Amino acid sequence: MEYKPSLIFKNAHINTCFPTLFRRIHVTYTRERIKTPDEDFLDIDWIKNNNEKVIVLCHGLEGSSRSKYIQGTARYFSERGWDVLAMNYRGCSGELNKKVTFYHMGQTCDLETVLEKTRDYKKLVIAGFSLGANLVLKYLGERSIYPENLLCGIAVCPPCDLVSNSVAFRQPRNMIYRKYFVNKLKEKAAQKALLYPTRINMNLISRVVDIEDFDNLFTAPLNGYLDAIDYYEKTSSINFIPNIKKKTLILMPLDDPIMSKKCYPYKEVAENDYIELETPKYGGHVGFSRLFSKTYWLEERLFEYVKSIEETN
């Protein structure tokens, strides 16, 4: 199954931005709030139709269950016999979480908490996008025992090598994305500073120019890492891919404008028979856009992959 974009979507930046700006989609969720072991909360959004199968969706940086790629995948699977659980990370559901920390690239403990809600299903698929893809791969690679009902994993555009990806993200071509994410993160930090004035220094927020600055000043120290590089090195999924022992699809377009060359785990995948790496020529960053179409190639390909795994089990 090949992605063949129209001429306009052969431009990676247009392909990346088009769904966020122009795709019209709205699915109806039922929200559930669950407690975390550290007395915080997570909001998870369900589409339930009494199916025996469920797909858990993990969004990207500063996304949510309302991200267009999450809603598109949720609708496509729901219409084909799957229940859907769309995760919202801490502080991403529209309400600030209780703890001083937000979410981060390697916070698999929250994913594990969410997966407790899927134990009664016969089949489980975990799919992550961008940051969520790194999260899913790390989860699959760091655990020796999986949920008994886990069928497979999916990772779309994972920034597998976070150190080199941080360098790539600072390139001029990514200025628009960088400003967008940095502004959102700074806004959240300012809100947190009001709640935790002794833990978060409001004056430091003005020093944040890129995401590595934010991670150096906030993410790393608040989560027990030495600095941003230490955080990136310890949470990069490329370190965990060799240990994955469950069928997994990694989908990474070659024209992803955000991704560094080191993020493509060719060597690690070649040495692990459980993983299938697809690198289509086009797609942008979690784009795979189409004009005048209800469905996008991305959700069709993910469903096709899952169906193929079902047929061999």
Side-chain angles (χ1 to χ4, degrees):
M1 185 177 184
E2 184 180 357
Y3 175 58
K4 298 178 179 179
S6 56
L7 182 62
I8 188 174
F9 294 131
K10 290 183 179 180
N11 181 296
H13 295 289
I14 293 176
N15 206 334
T16 299
C17 297
F18 182 86
T20 299
L21 297 175
F22 300 110
R23 190 179 190 186
R24 295 182 179 180
I25 181 171
H26 183 84
V27 302
T28 300
Y29 293 120
T30 300
R31 175 154 293 184
E32 179 182 1
R33 176 162 293 185
I34 59 177
K35 291 183 179 179
T36 61
D38 63 346
E39 300 300 320
D40 207 343
F41 70 88
L42 291 166
D43 288 328
I44 57 177
D45 289 329
W46 289 94
I47 303 176
K48 287 185 177 181
N49 293 303
N50 296 316
N51 294 303
E52 296 182 338
K53 305 180 289 187
V54 63
I55 183 169
V56 173
L57 303 177
C58 304
H59 61 79
L61 180 66
E62 285 305 286
S64 72
S65 61
R66 286 292 166 196
S67 297
K68 299 297 178 64
Y69 52 86
I70 295 291
Q71 291 195 78
T73 306
R75 181 176 66 184
Y76 198 86
F77 274 76
S78 176
E79 291 175 348
R80 288 159 180 80
W82 287 75
D83 281 4
V84 177
L85 190 169
M87 186 176 178
N88 294 286
Y89 309 143
R90 301 186 189 212
C92 291
S93 65
E95 182 178 337
L96 210 60
N97 63 305
K98 296 178 180 179
K99 295 293 183 179
V100 66
T101 55
F102 313 124
Y103 61 97
H104 65 75
M105 284 277 189
Q107 199 163 8
T108 52
C109 58
D110 281 355
L111 176 56
E112 192 164 27
T113 297
V114 167
L115 292 177
E116 286 293 314
K117 306 295 295 186
T118 67
R119 287 184 298 177
D120 294 334
Y121 286 91
K122 288 187 176 180
K123 294 179 182 179
L124 163 68
V125 171
I126 311 172
F129 304 79
S130 195
L131 178 150
N134 185 80
L135 191 75
V136 168
L137 293 175
K138 181 175 180 287
Y139 169 83
L140 293 172
E142 69 186 7
R143 276 154 178 77
S144 57
I145 300 176
Y146 299 125
E148 291 184 2
N149 58 352
L150 181 60
L151 182 67
C152 63
I154 295 171
V156 180
C157 300
C160 297
D161 187 301
L162 295 171
V163 176
S164 65
N165 187 245
S166 176
V167 175
F169 204 62
R170 292 197 299 272
Q171 298 300 312
R173 70 177 185 270
N174 290 321
M175 180 180 65
I176 294 175
Y177 312 121
R178 186 169 64 251
K179 285 187 174 181
Y180 172 78
F181 288 123
V182 166
N183 287 339
K184 293 194 73 173
L185 290 169
K186 287 171 70 172
E187 182 181 343
K188 277 188 179 176
Q191 294 173 359
K192 284 285 186 177
L194 296 176
L195 297 176
Y196 295 94
T198 62
R199 299 287 305 279
I200 297 180
N201 187 342
M202 183 77 79
N203 295 325
L204 293 179
I205 297 174
S206 62
R207 292 170 51 184
V208 175
V209 177
D210 58 40
I211 292 178
E212 187 170 333
D213 294 331
F214 184 86
D215 291 335
N216 262 319
L217 294 170
F218 299 106
T219 309
L222 289 173
N223 289 283
Y225 298 101
L226 297 176
D227 53 23
I229 298 301
D230 183 53
Y231 160 54
Y232 296 154
E233 288 176 344
K234 290 179 177 176
T235 59
S236 290
S237 59
I238 202 162
N239 301 320
F240 300 89
I241 289 174
N243 300 323
I244 293 176
K245 297 295 187 292
K246 182 62 68 169
K247 288 291 185 181
T248 300
L249 171 67
I250 301 178
L251 182 61
M252 303 183 69
L254 294 175
D255 70 342
D256 189 324
I258 295 175
M259 215 64 66
S260 70
K261 290 183 179 180
K262 289 185 178 180
C263 283
Y264 293 81
Y266 294 111
K267 177 179 179 294
E268 292 75 13
V269 170
E271 297 172 353
N272 188 333
D273 293 337
Y274 288 95
I275 304 176
E276 181 178 341
L277 173 63
E278 288 189 11
T279 55
K281 184 176 181 181
Y282 301 108
H285 187 71
V286 197
F288 299 101
S289 303
R290 281 176 175 165
L291 285 171
F292 316 118
S293 177
K294 176 184 176 181
T295 63
Y296 276 19
W297 181 89
L298 177 59
E299 46 249 42
E300 293 174 354
R301 176 64 190 111
L302 300 190
F303 186 82
E304 180 187 65
Y305 174 77
V306 172
K307 187 175 180 181
S308 71
I309 300 299
E310 282 189 284
E311 291 173 350
T312 59
N313 278 265

